[in-house]
Amino acid sequence: MDRSIFDTRTVSPQERFAVWRDSINVVFDAKIDMRITPTRFHAQVDATALGQIVLGRITSETQSFERSQQKILSDGLDSYIVQVFTKGHCEVQDGRTVRQVRPGDIYIIDASAPLQAVDYGFQTVSAVIPRSLLSRRLVSADGHHRRVIPRETALAKLLYGFILSLDANRADMTLDEGLASIEPLLSLSESILNARSEQASVSLDDAAIDFAVVNAVLDFIDDNLGDPALSPEMISAALGLSRSRLYRLFQHLDGIASEIRRRRLRRSLHDVLNTSQRRLQVSEIAYRWGFRSDSDYIRAFKRQYGLTPGQAKAARSAMQSSDTQAEIASQQSYDAWIRAFSR
């Protein structure tokens, strides 16, 4: 299988953090901790491509990692990162709350959402999973960002052990073995993210039925995103659902109307950031995905992403220009694999 090793010890001490910062920039903007002497900084990435998934072990000094809204729009990375710590720990900013990630915990990052975190003297193993591989398996595909599943739970122990075993054995795995490992990783991730608390009042059978109905609704929404008439009433009539049940099923996603708008915006974002669609006008993108006017679309886009569609296009173009200038000849590198996940 394809393997990539990045190590700052291959460059001069004065350049190490700058080289690392430019490398990890494919996912995060990194800042060194002020207590670390720059010339003593060290970082190493040992990564393997398992089909469409990148599994990588990172060892480094204390530093902060950030994904801003502008970075999200400019790099177009649309993946989940399932991460575990084997050394050190992490503090994740979530509004006014700081979440702690310990060795043994399962830590989920949604690359399509902003992040601020500090990792302390750490070694992590991360699986970068394209959204398309996992999102359809999840009850709430967008509800797991910055989620920390405690190491005390049985499923966390299973997934943690599997990820470490995969990391320990990947150097000796054949391509077929690597590809065969994808499904167990996805299944364990699906199980732990869909798991309900023991105190939940809903039975497993009811939960399974709700899951199936939600997926049927999402399929209907995705098939009709371009129809301006798409609405809760249209969905209820087409699928034979009562309005009360439809609203209940999507209560955890801020409502069915919000979910329709969010999915329209996410689909439109592919057109905004896709260079093959650069000739499309904003109004064409708006009407393609069911918005009734380009002004409504621009306002909704800016509320969701913090930039207008035109500003997002410009940021993406600037990022691609920078990537082209900085690109190294070899494509067998972890940053090139991850960049390939971008929209």
Side-chain angles (χ1 to χ4, degrees):
M1 292 187 297
D2 291 333
R3 188 177 182 186
S4 167
I5 298 178
F6 169 96
D7 197 320
T8 56
R9 285 175 294 197
T10 62
V11 299
S12 67
Q14 293 78 12
E15 298 176 324
R16 286 178 181 174
F17 183 72
V19 170
W20 162 249
R21 183 186 58 213
D22 292 345
S23 176
I24 200 63
N25 181 257
V26 70
V27 184
F28 302 112
D29 290 324
K31 291 183 180 178
I32 192 171
D33 186 88
M34 65 177 65
R35 292 164 292 186
I36 303 297
T37 304
T39 55
R40 299 182 66 182
F41 178 82
H42 173 244
Q44 183 187 65
V45 181
D46 185 345
T48 300
L50 304 172
Q52 297 181 64
I53 293 173
V54 174
L55 185 76
R57 185 190 331 120
I58 299 178
T59 307
S60 191
E61 318 286 348
T62 299
Q63 58 194 282
S64 62
F65 294 104
E66 181 179 5
R67 276 187 69 78
S68 65
Q69 192 66 263
Q70 179 141 355
K71 181 170 182 61
I72 291 166
L73 292 176
S74 62
D75 67 23
L77 182 61
D78 197 18
S79 302
Y80 299 103
I81 301 173
V82 180
Q83 186 174 90
V84 300
F85 281 71
T86 59
K87 296 179 182 177
H89 70 284
C90 174
E91 294 179 351
V92 189
Q93 194 72 37
D94 187 1
R96 295 182 179 180
T97 302
V98 176
R99 298 185 182 181
Q100 299 280 339
V101 186
R102 309 159 298 169
D105 294 339
I106 306 297
Y107 172 36
I108 308 297
I109 300 170
D110 185 337
S112 70
L115 179 76
Q116 287 185 318
V118 180
D119 290 9
Y120 293 89
F122 63 95
Q123 182 176 84
T124 61
V125 181
S126 302
V128 184
I129 305 173
R131 179 177 297 273
S132 59
L133 290 185
L134 187 57
S135 62
R136 298 300 305 198
R137 296 168 174 249
L138 304 179
V139 174
S140 177
D142 298 322
H144 304 289
H145 182 50
R146 296 178 297 211
R147 187 173 172 189
V148 181
I149 296 94
R151 62 192 179 193
E152 292 80 11
T153 63
L155 284 174
K157 292 176 183 177
L158 283 174
L159 182 53
Y160 186 81
F162 182 78
I163 289 175
L164 293 193
S165 178
L166 198 56
D167 176 58
N169 292 284
R170 59 190 165 90
D172 299 320
M173 293 169 69
T174 65
L175 177 59
D176 287 343
E177 288 171 335
L179 294 176
S181 70
I182 292 175
E183 181 55 34
L185 175 61
L186 294 177
S187 294
L188 281 171
S189 299
E190 171 191 356
S191 296
I192 200 169
L193 295 180
N194 284 340
R196 293 174 178 265
S197 69
E198 294 179 0
Q199 292 78 27
S201 60
V202 180
S203 72
L204 291 178
D205 285 344
D206 287 343
I209 292 170
D210 283 353
F211 180 67
V213 173
V214 166
N215 272 332
V217 172
L218 293 178
D219 285 340
F220 184 85
I221 291 173
D222 288 341
D223 289 343
N224 293 276
L225 283 176
D227 187 346
L230 179 62
S231 65
E233 292 75 19
M234 178 178 174
I235 296 169
S236 294
L239 299 181
L241 293 171
S242 68
R243 283 171 57 88
S244 59
R245 187 179 186 196
L246 181 63
Y247 280 93
R248 177 183 64 79
L249 288 172
F250 284 85
Q251 190 173 17
H252 68 292
L253 294 174
D254 296 326
I256 184 66
S258 293
E259 180 64 10
I260 293 170
R261 182 173 60 253
R262 189 193 62 77
R263 296 180 88 84
R264 280 175 165 157
L265 287 169
R266 182 179 289 280
R267 192 71 65 86
S268 79
L269 187 60
H270 285 263
D271 288 347
V272 170
L273 300 182
N274 192 333
T275 54
S276 67
Q277 305 283 352
R278 65 179 61 182
R279 293 184 179 180
L280 281 177
Q281 299 295 316
V282 170
S283 58
E284 294 178 276
I285 296 174
Y287 292 121
R288 171 182 282 188
W289 299 115
F291 290 90
R292 296 183 182 275
S293 72
D294 53 351
S295 58
D296 286 346
Y297 171 60
I298 292 170
R299 282 194 296 270
F301 190 98
K302 189 168 185 179
R303 280 197 302 269
Q304 180 74 16
Y305 299 115
L307 300 174
T308 67
Q311 290 169 333
K313 274 190 175 186
R316 177 65 165 152
S317 296
M319 172 66 76
Q320 288 184 319
S321 175
S322 173
D323 288 346
T324 299
Q325 293 172 7
E327 190 170 0
I328 301 174
S330 173
Q331 291 300 305
Q332 298 305 311
S333 59
Y334 82 94
D335 49 339
W337 297 333
I338 294 174
R339 193 172 290 114
F341 294 164
S342 299
R343 301 180 183 92

